[in-house]
Amino acid sequence: MPGLSSAAGVVGFLSEPEPELQVFALQVLNEQIDSLWTEVAGSVGDIEALYEDPSFPERELAALVAAKVYYNLQEYNESMIFALGAGKLFDLDHEGEFEDTIISKCVDTYIALSGSASAPANSTSQPPPQLTTAFPSTANANGASSISAGLASPTTPFSQSTLPSKSLLSRQDSSTTFDPSMQAGGDANLPSALPASIVSQANIQNQLYAIVDELFERCFRGGSYRQVIGIAVEARRLDVLRRAISRASEDEKEQRKDEIGNLIRSQDLIEYVLEICMDVVQERGLRNELLQLVLDLLNDIPSPDYFSIAKCIVYLNEHTMASDMLVQLVTKGDPTSTAIAYQIAFDLYDNSTQEFLKKVREELPNTSEAEPAQPADSEEQMQEGATEAKESEQLLKELNDSAGVPAATSEGGRSEGAPDKKEETLSPEAQKAFDSVREILSGTKTIELGLEFLFRSNRTDMAVLNKIRDSLEARNSIFHTAVTLATAFMHAGTTHDKFFRENLDWLAKAVNWSKFTATAALGVIHRGNLGQGLKLLDPYLPKEQIAGSNPSSAYSQGGSLYALGLIYANHETFALDVIREHFKKATEEVVQHGGALGLGVAGMATGDDSIYEDLKSVLYTDSALNGEAVGIAMGLIMLGTGNNKALEDMIHYAHDTQHEKIVRGLALGMALIMYGRQEGADEVVNGLLDDPDPILRYGGIQTLSLAYCGTGSNKAVRKLLHVAVSDVSDDVRRIAVMSLGFILFRKPSNVPRMVELLSESYNPHVRYGAAMALGISCAGTGLDEAIDLLEPMIKDPTDFVRQGALIALSMIMVQQNETMNPKVTTIRKTLMKAITDRHEDAMTKFGSAIALGIIDAGGRNCTISLQTQTGNLNMAGIVGMAVFTQYWYWFPLTHFLSLSFAPTAVVGLDQDLEIPSFKFHSATRPSLFDYPPEQEAKQEDAPEKVKTAVLSTTAQAKRRAQKKEKRQRRESIDIDQTPTTPKISNLSDKMELDEAPGKAEDNQEAEKSDGEKKAEGESSPESAKKKMEKEKVGYQLENMSRVLPAQRKFISFPDGRYRPVKKPVGGVILLTDTTPSEPKSLMELKAKKKVKPAATPTTVQDRVVEALGQHLANNAEASGAAEAAGVLTAVDEDVEGGEEAEVPREFEYFTDEEGGGDE
């Protein structure tokens, strides 16, 4: 039928009484509706009437025509309703814009309908507990309801309740990003709104479900399972999700039988669901339901992916399932299962809290011997550190129990009621395996391997460190602290502290809190040195005063407790008891300050109520100095527990005290308690943000950032942006912008675009926050967009903005070389220029020194990582970064950044947990991920010797004397030339010396330059050849080598003997030995063999006496350790601003030469 130019005649048939004419008109209009819909739109009411007439024979055809008319009118809801009424006439297989649009609309409505149906059930599952706090009532969602809170509103007059209607902040969220909490409403302005007719008409709903089910079947037939999974997750339809994975498993079995096609494996789908859970789903309740479903599905598979199961178990906090899985794998007995169990134990340690790991260790079967989770010399260390420790097995067991170390006595209580048959049936191999699993879960093995890698791979550029030391005046406390922090970061975890030993004069200038920071830096340098940590810090630890001995500095004592906590950070051992004992006995506030920080770091996330009570008792003394540290430590002990009692105590005391430092410490402590709680922290966040005290509002922003860290939550981002532009406090606005980095660090590419305008704000605090947000979120990525925003901020007129920009740049550029990012050389030069510039402000120089330490962190072998190798949140790293940002108020907290340093290594272990010597392959050019070149130390030219001035009268007198001597020789009878010749030559040499040195030096330089040119000419072909060989794609790496995060995807294991048990993602990788009968070559541990000399003299007086007797020049290294201890433990003068106490180091002037002179 030819196309119609007008639909007037056909539309007239719709008013005819004969159904045949009406059907004919509908058929014609259906075929040509795209060109005639403008004329038909006026008669759409007649078409709807035909659809609603039950006696009309072609009701479905009328519905289809009406749907197409409404589609062209862009009334998609009405179009979808009539399309659903069209039944089979709506052809899903027909490809066209109309069909695609209606299908998309059906899916959106299906998601909204399913979400609204499941929301009430989810919301009533477990209401969050109510806090009894001093917060004002929050009945009014848009502002404070009480009069006092309303008068002291924390926001500007442009608050949310007074925003104009066109303001972006006053609009409802219209983004299509998945946020299930926003989908239960029926607001017509939202894209997920439900049309009223859909809700009211059951037959339309049934038709909708039928169409969506048909879509699912089409996806199943085409192998598009991921589309079904995505829709099911958004719609909260776990039954559809289970059906999709089951269908994929069935299709996979049929494929194996028929060997036809190439379908997606069900295991890949489960990994896809896990990826969605961690990266897309923002609601904690839905995420837990999905993970529980995935866990059930994985357990039903005959040969499940144990690593995916472990990932779910950690997030769901199912410690019993973790121990059962480890027991199941170990009892199988084969080497592969044992290796998998070891690998899971390593993953559990990397991703779990100390409390979780302790429960898993206790639930493992007993073995004949208790697993020594202590270092080899732990018994000796406990005797030295604890005041009343004896060589008693009973006391050792009690210490193990209190420190959470798994031992036979600690687990006997659990197994007393259980039958002993299970223990009797354990083979010696199983007992050994369980002991190894306990050792891994305690963290000892991981820490030991990390320490070994950092020790043997240390590439610290000492020229940079010496340049920083020489450029910054050590008498200035801020500069001395800056050099100390740079040293600590550059040597973090390497155990190399020679810089302190070799620069005693510089170290002696540390006074008061600089001395505290310098002593604590030893904890950063020796972090993970479990075997010798206590022995190294013994000279600095608090001791009982002995009559006649000089007292040590309280600052070095407090710093040593802080350092001890950093060495055993997030590793519950005997050190926690040692620190706690010193903390309880301490009477000086500085010692209590360091002890509180050490307790918090070492006991992180243990949830120990007794330690919490000890800290609270010190808090109630209302001391501003130690109150801040105690508040932070309370939060670290209760990290992530959401403990309501602790929150109530801290909130009440924050309102009662008058000290800002205490309020600030408690605010950060409350944020740490709500770490990772997401929606469970909303009540605390809202209460703190409504408080009139800006410090508590500051804590509310920190609570929000830590509760939603790494989630990318739209709700949290909107709240932060609103506070960033509306709060009256600069501090609150600064932390609000900075917190964007914590929320979005899993999506670093989104952050530069979000903070671009904020980085140009008139407020310098907002600019600083934008810089730090970029550094936190883009750490270690080398992201060009972030660098482009930060480079102009280096020249900002405000000093602390420049400081933040330099620190952020170093975080982004950590472990970047010129091949990966050409700007890294320029940035390093900028950092050095800021250090050496005499006209630069002190704050900028301080930031530049810290930045130089960060960019070379851990001997250039560490990156800053806020997530683990497996993609989970790195709890210690996030906490360390959060506390590090508080260096704005308190410099010693800068050391917390070391908790974010993660060694970038691949360490392969065999089934015996030994380090085999083998090579793996990297499919890249060596220069791509190589170390950056060390800075060339420019040797200053020695001043040239000034030529001796020769007077004319002197020259004439010499010539006359020579002539006279020659004349006398001729007149002599017996002339002897032998003795006189040297005299003549000597005189002539002496005369020539006045003019010759310059010529001689020129000749030497000429010869040297010629030689160098010749050498360069000879070696140029060889260097070019070596360069070509280096740039070949693909090279071999030894086990325990440096592998950057961006390099992991290029790593493979072509070695035929050792195969990884899982896809290598860095860190510790268990290997299966395919030829165990052959002899194997093992790598020797170097860090264990390195024995540090103990600083045995306990007081400065004893050290002086010992130095006088032994002439310590013969033992330079030991004297270095002793002198360093003497310098840091020396007591400072009490008079502020007065001359510093002279360091008692008279013995250093005694040398061998002086001793010989006395004889």
Side-chain angles (χ1 to χ4, degrees):
M1 183 177 178
L4 299 176
S5 59
S6 174
V10 178
V11 170
F13 288 156
L14 296 175
S15 303
E16 294 294 331
E18 290 82 3
E20 291 81 4
L21 293 177
Q22 294 172 338
V23 171
F24 172 75
L26 291 174
Q27 290 175 347
V28 174
L29 293 175
N30 183 44
E31 294 176 359
Q32 304 187 34
I33 192 65
D34 290 338
S35 58
L36 303 176
W37 68 270
T38 53
E39 300 180 62
V40 180
S43 302
V44 70
D46 297 335
I47 300 175
E48 290 185 27
L50 294 176
Y51 166 67
E52 294 172 357
D53 185 2
S55 62
F56 186 68
E58 293 291 341
R59 292 181 60 206
E60 294 180 349
L61 180 60
L64 183 60
V65 175
K68 291 184 178 180
V69 173
Y70 279 116
Y71 164 75
N72 285 285
L73 290 171
Q74 296 186 2
E75 296 288 345
Y76 299 124
N77 283 336
E78 297 295 329
S79 177
M80 179 194 65
I81 292 172
F82 283 104
L84 293 175
K88 296 181 179 179
L89 292 181
F90 179 63
D91 187 7
L92 297 178
D93 296 328
H94 185 272
E95 295 183 359
E97 291 184 4
F98 168 69
E99 287 78 10
D100 292 343
T101 304
I102 298 304
I103 290 173
S104 176
K105 194 64 183 177
C106 287
V107 172
D108 290 342
T109 307
Y110 172 81
I111 292 171
L113 194 63
S114 301
S116 62
S118 60
N122 292 335
S123 62
T124 58
S125 58
Q126 189 177 0
Q130 298 296 319
L131 285 176
T132 305
T133 67
F135 292 141
S137 174
T138 56
N140 183 1
N142 291 328
S145 60
S146 64
I147 297 177
S148 60
L151 292 176
S153 174
T155 58
T156 61
F158 297 100
S159 60
Q160 187 172 358
S161 58
T162 59
L163 284 171
S165 59
K166 297 296 183 182
S167 172
L168 290 176
L169 292 174
S170 65
R171 298 178 188 173
Q172 294 285 350
D173 180 31
S174 59
S175 65
T176 56
T177 306
F178 177 46
D179 191 352
S181 61
M182 303 288 293
Q183 297 195 8
D187 190 349
N189 294 326
L190 295 178
S192 59
L194 299 177
S197 56
I198 287 290
V199 179
S200 61
Q201 299 180 25
N203 59 335
I204 297 296
Q205 290 189 29
N206 295 334
Q207 187 66 26
L208 174 67
Y209 290 140
I211 287 182
V212 174
D213 287 340
E214 178 62 27
L215 285 174
F216 289 163
E217 283 297 327
R218 288 175 57 188
C219 291
F220 290 152
R221 290 194 296 268
S224 302
Y225 303 104
R226 295 193 175 191
Q227 296 182 12
V228 179
I229 288 175
I231 295 173
V233 171
E234 289 199 51
R236 300 168 177 260
R237 292 293 300 268
L238 302 185
D239 56 333
V240 176
L241 183 60
R242 183 185 293 271
R243 172 184 158 198
I245 296 178
S246 301
R247 179 68 177 270
S249 180
E250 294 174 1
D251 293 344
E252 183 182 358
K253 293 177 182 177
E254 293 180 2
Q255 176 200 7
R256 289 177 179 175
K257 292 181 180 179
D258 301 337
E259 297 184 357
I260 298 175
N262 190 14
L263 299 178
I264 299 177
R265 298 188 305 114
S266 58
Q267 188 64 46
D268 296 335
L269 291 180
I270 294 176
E271 293 180 1
Y272 178 65
V273 175
L274 276 176
E275 184 180 349
I276 290 176
C277 286
M278 300 301 175
D279 299 337
V280 179
V281 178
Q282 296 181 359
E283 187 182 1
R284 187 185 181 96
L286 176 60
R287 186 181 299 174
N288 289 344
E289 292 179 7
L290 291 173
L291 290 173
Q292 190 64 53
L293 173 64
V294 170
L295 201 56
D296 296 340
L297 292 171
L298 287 171
N299 289 327
D300 294 339
I301 299 176
S303 56
D305 182 3
Y306 291 105
F307 303 109
S308 298
I309 294 177
K311 199 172 184 179
C312 297
I313 286 172
V314 169
Y315 195 90
L316 294 173
N317 202 27
E318 295 285 350
H319 52 85
T320 303
M321 296 184 67
S323 59
D324 292 343
M325 182 172 60
L326 292 172
V327 170
Q328 177 187 351
L329 288 168
V330 171
T331 51
K332 283 185 178 180
D334 59 293
T336 302
S337 298
T338 305
I340 293 175
Y342 291 160
Q343 185 68 68
I344 290 174
F346 278 112
D347 292 346
L348 288 176
Y349 174 75
D350 289 337
N351 299 293
S352 307
T353 63
Q354 294 189 52
E355 185 180 11
F356 180 91
L357 295 170
K358 181 179 179 181
K359 292 178 180 178
V360 174
R361 293 198 303 266
E362 290 175 350
E363 291 172 354
L364 292 176
N366 273 341
T367 56
S368 57
E369 297 180 359
E371 170 61 28
Q374 314 284 1
D377 57 343
S378 62
E379 194 171 337
E380 178 187 349
Q381 292 175 348
M382 281 186 287
Q383 292 170 3
E384 296 175 358
T387 56
E388 297 182 2
K390 305 294 182 182
E391 290 188 3
S392 160
E393 292 185 3
Q394 183 64 29
L395 181 56
L396 179 58
K397 293 174 183 177
E398 291 175 1
L399 285 175
N400 284 342
D401 292 344
S402 62
V405 178
T409 55
S410 64
E411 297 170 281
R414 182 187 66 86
S415 59
E416 282 178 0
D420 296 335
K421 294 181 180 179
K422 186 175 182 180
E423 298 177 12
E424 293 177 359
T425 56
L426 287 179
S427 62
E429 292 79 9
Q431 292 182 6
K432 180 182 177 183
F434 280 123
D435 290 341
S436 299
V437 168
R438 283 194 183 88
E439 182 185 11
I440 296 171
L441 291 175
S442 69
T444 305
K445 197 68 178 177
T446 303
I447 295 173
E448 175 187 312
L449 294 172
L451 183 75
E452 175 68 23
F453 164 70
L454 293 176
F455 173 76
R456 66 165 60 217
S457 303
N458 181 28
R459 297 284 291 271
T460 303
D461 191 352
M462 296 303 297
V464 174
L465 200 53
N466 292 329
K467 186 69 174 178
I468 299 173
R469 179 204 60 201
D470 296 338
S471 302
L472 300 180
E473 175 55 47
R475 289 287 179 182
N476 192 329
S477 178
I478 185 175
F479 290 156
H480 195 286
T481 301
V483 179
T484 300
L485 294 172
T487 306
F489 289 159
M490 284 188 184
H491 296 91
T494 62
T495 72
H496 289 273
D497 56 3
K498 289 187 66 177
F499 181 82
F500 286 155
R501 299 168 184 262
E502 295 174 353
N503 294 275
L504 295 178
D505 293 335
W506 168 84
L507 192 62
K509 298 177 182 179
V511 294
N512 298 338
W513 288 106
S514 296
K515 184 174 293 185
F516 179 93
T517 307
T519 311
L522 295 175
V524 178
I525 296 173
H526 292 277
R527 185 191 171 196
N529 194 358
L530 305 181
Q532 300 174 0
L534 191 58
K535 184 181 295 184
L536 285 163
L537 294 175
D538 183 71
Y540 311 96
L541 291 172
K543 294 179 177 62
E544 294 183 3
Q545 189 64 32
I546 303 175
S549 62
N550 294 328
S552 60
S553 172
Y555 292 95
S556 65
Q557 293 178 8
S560 66
L561 295 178
Y562 185 15
L564 194 60
L566 289 169
I567 290 177
Y568 296 92
N570 198 23
H571 183 64
E572 188 182 8
T573 58
F574 67 95
L576 191 61
D577 296 323
V578 174
I579 301 173
R580 185 180 177 187
E581 188 70 24
H582 286 300
F583 176 75
K584 291 166 68 175
K585 289 183 176 181
T587 56
E588 298 192 36
E589 292 180 342
V590 178
V591 181
Q592 289 178 338
H593 183 96
L597 292 176
L599 271 179
V601 179
M604 188 186 301
T606 56
D608 193 318
D609 290 326
S610 59
I611 298 178
Y612 172 81
E613 291 298 329
D614 292 340
L615 292 167
K616 189 170 70 172
S617 62
V618 176
L619 174 70
Y620 286 166
T621 60
D622 203 41
S623 168
L625 186 59
N626 55 32
E628 182 177 18
V630 167
I632 296 173
M634 291 165 69
L636 289 171
I637 294 296
M638 295 294 176
L639 179 65
T641 60
N643 190 300
N644 285 334
K645 181 181 179 299
L647 286 171
E648 291 174 5
D649 293 341
M650 297 168 78
I651 290 170
H652 284 303
Y653 196 77
H655 284 94
D656 293 340
T657 185
Q658 300 298 318
H659 297 290
E660 289 188 359
K661 289 176 71 69
I662 296 180
V663 178
R664 184 173 293 112
L666 290 172
L668 179 55
M670 286 186 280
L672 294 169
I673 291 176
M674 301 310 293
Y675 165 81
R677 306 298 293 183
Q678 296 187 21
E679 293 87 358
D682 286 349
E683 182 187 0
V684 179
V685 171
N686 293 333
L688 290 172
L689 290 181
D690 286 338
D691 199 284
D693 187 351
I695 300 178
L696 287 179
R697 296 202 305 276
Y698 186 100
I701 295 296
Q702 289 179 308
T703 306
L704 180 66
S705 65
L706 289 180
Y708 288 91
C709 61
T711 62
S713 171
N714 297 326
K715 179 176 67 174
V717 170
R718 284 196 301 270
K719 191 70 173 177
L720 291 174
L721 290 175
H722 172 61
V723 174
V725 298
S726 63
D727 201 280
V728 295
S729 170
D730 286 336
D731 288 346
V732 178
R733 298 177 72 175
R734 182 181 68 247
I735 193 63
V737 181
M738 193 188 307
S739 297
L740 291 171
F742 288 99
I743 304 293
L744 299 169
F745 68 79
R746 280 181 166 168
K747 302 174 182 177
S749 58
N750 295 344
V751 180
R753 177 169 47 86
M754 186 169 294
V755 302
E756 182 175 3
L757 292 178
L758 295 172
S759 66
E760 300 173 359
S761 171
Y762 73 93
N763 191 325
H765 292 268
V766 174
R767 298 199 300 270
Y768 173 88
M772 292 300 292
L774 290 169
I776 293 168
S777 60
C778 305
T781 62
L783 194 64
D784 291 331
E785 292 83 355
I787 297 171
D788 292 339
L789 287 180
L790 289 170
E791 282 181 331
M793 301 175 74
I794 299 175
K795 302 177 182 179
D796 195 276
T798 308
D799 52 359
F800 62 79
V801 177
R802 297 196 298 272
Q803 178 193 80
L806 293 173
I807 294 176
L809 279 172
S810 67
M811 290 181 181
I812 296 172
M813 284 299 190
V814 64
Q815 286 198 321
Q816 299 283 315
N817 59 23
E818 195 167 0
T819 307
M820 298 172 67
N821 195 317
K823 293 184 178 180
V824 67
T825 304
T826 305
I827 291 173
R828 285 180 177 272
K829 290 181 180 179
T830 303
L831 295 174
M832 291 303 302
K833 182 180 178 182
I835 288 285
T836 56
D837 189 357
R838 297 176 59 186
H839 304 288
E840 188 59 86
D841 293 319
M843 292 184 69
T844 307
K845 288 187 175 183
F846 179 83
S848 183
I850 294 178
L852 285 168
I854 294 172
I855 202 170
D856 289 339
R860 299 188 173 186
N861 291 298
C862 286
T863 187
I864 296 177
S865 178
L866 302 187
Q867 52 185 340
T868 62
Q869 311 275 8
T870 55
N872 287 2
L873 297 180
N874 180 9
M875 182 189 68
I878 293 172
V879 169
M881 182 66 74
V883 181
F884 160 73
T885 58
Q886 302 310 299
Y887 81 90
W888 178 281
Y889 302 103
W890 193 234
F891 286 156
L893 297 180
T894 311
H895 286 311
F896 269 83
L897 183 63
S898 63
L899 301 181
S900 302
F901 294 162
T904 52
V906 168
V907 182
L909 300 181
D910 60 11
Q911 298 98 319
D912 300 325
L913 297 182
E914 296 176 329
I915 309 175
S917 178
F918 75 101
K919 295 183 179 181
F920 54 91
H921 184 73
S922 176
T924 61
R925 290 182 172 86
S927 62
L928 182 58
F929 299 107
D930 196 8
Y931 288 96
E934 293 188 1
Q935 181 180 4
E936 296 180 1
K938 295 182 179 179
Q939 296 181 354
E940 298 181 359
D941 297 334
E944 295 182 359
K945 294 182 179 180
V946 181
K947 295 180 180 180
T948 305
V950 180
L951 298 177
S952 58
T953 54
T954 305
Q956 292 176 0
K958 287 183 179 180
R959 285 196 294 271
R960 284 196 297 269
Q962 289 178 359
K963 290 180 181 179
K964 184 176 180 180
E965 187 176 359
K966 289 180 181 178
R967 190 167 51 252
Q968 289 176 353
R969 290 196 193 101
R970 286 196 298 269
E971 293 175 356
S972 176
I973 299 175
D974 44 358
I975 300 174
D976 190 1
Q977 298 290 342
T978 304
T980 58
T981 302
K983 293 182 180 179
I984 296 174
S985 62
N986 288 341
L987 287 173
S988 62
D989 288 343
K990 288 181 181 180
M991 293 174 62
E992 291 175 0
L993 281 176
D994 295 334
E995 300 178 358
K999 295 181 181 179
E1001 289 176 6
D1002 293 340
N1003 293 335
Q1004 290 177 1
E1005 290 179 1
E1007 292 175 2
K1008 183 178 179 181
S1009 61
D1010 293 341
E1012 288 177 354
K1013 290 179 181 178
K1014 185 177 180 181
E1016 289 176 1
E1018 292 175 355
S1019 62
S1020 57
E1022 297 179 3
S1023 61
K1025 184 177 180 181
K1026 289 182 179 179
K1027 188 174 181 181
M1028 291 176 61
E1029 291 178 355
K1030 285 184 177 180
E1031 291 304 312
K1032 288 182 180 178
V1033 177
Y1035 63 102
Q1036 300 293 322
L1037 287 169
E1038 291 284 348
N1039 189 14
M1040 198 174 277
S1041 293
R1042 174 179 180 262
V1043 176
L1044 302 188
Q1047 189 180 3
R1048 293 171 191 158
K1049 57 186 176 183
F1050 302 106
I1051 295 299
S1052 60
F1053 289 77
D1055 192 315
R1057 178 168 183 176
Y1058 295 103
R1059 300 289 181 185
V1061 297
K1062 73 168 187 177
K1063 182 180 178 181
V1065 293
V1068 180
I1069 299 175
L1070 265 294
L1071 309 168
T1072 55
D1073 191 352
T1074 57
T1075 56
S1077 59
E1078 296 181 4
K1080 58 183 178 181
S1081 175
L1082 300 178
M1083 298 182 68
E1084 184 181 10
L1085 294 179
K1086 296 182 179 179
K1088 272 191 173 182
K1089 299 188 73 174
K1090 184 174 184 290
V1091 179
K1092 289 280 187 179
T1096 50
T1098 56
T1099 64
V1100 177
Q1101 184 176 2
D1102 295 338
R1103 276 189 292 275
V1104 173
V1105 173
E1106 184 176 357
L1108 290 170
Q1110 295 182 0
H1111 290 272
L1112 288 182
N1114 296 328
N1115 191 356
E1117 189 173 5
S1119 67
E1123 289 184 69
V1127 166
L1128 289 176
T1129 55
V1131 181
D1132 300 324
E1133 291 291 335
D1134 295 330
V1135 181
E1136 185 174 356
E1139 188 175 354
E1140 299 172 5
E1142 185 176 355
V1143 182
R1145 286 180 17 251
E1146 295 83 0
F1147 56 86
E1148 72 177 27
Y1149 296 104
F1150 288 89
T1151 62
D1152 294 337
E1153 289 77 4
E1154 292 175 351
D1158 294 338
E1159 294 176 1

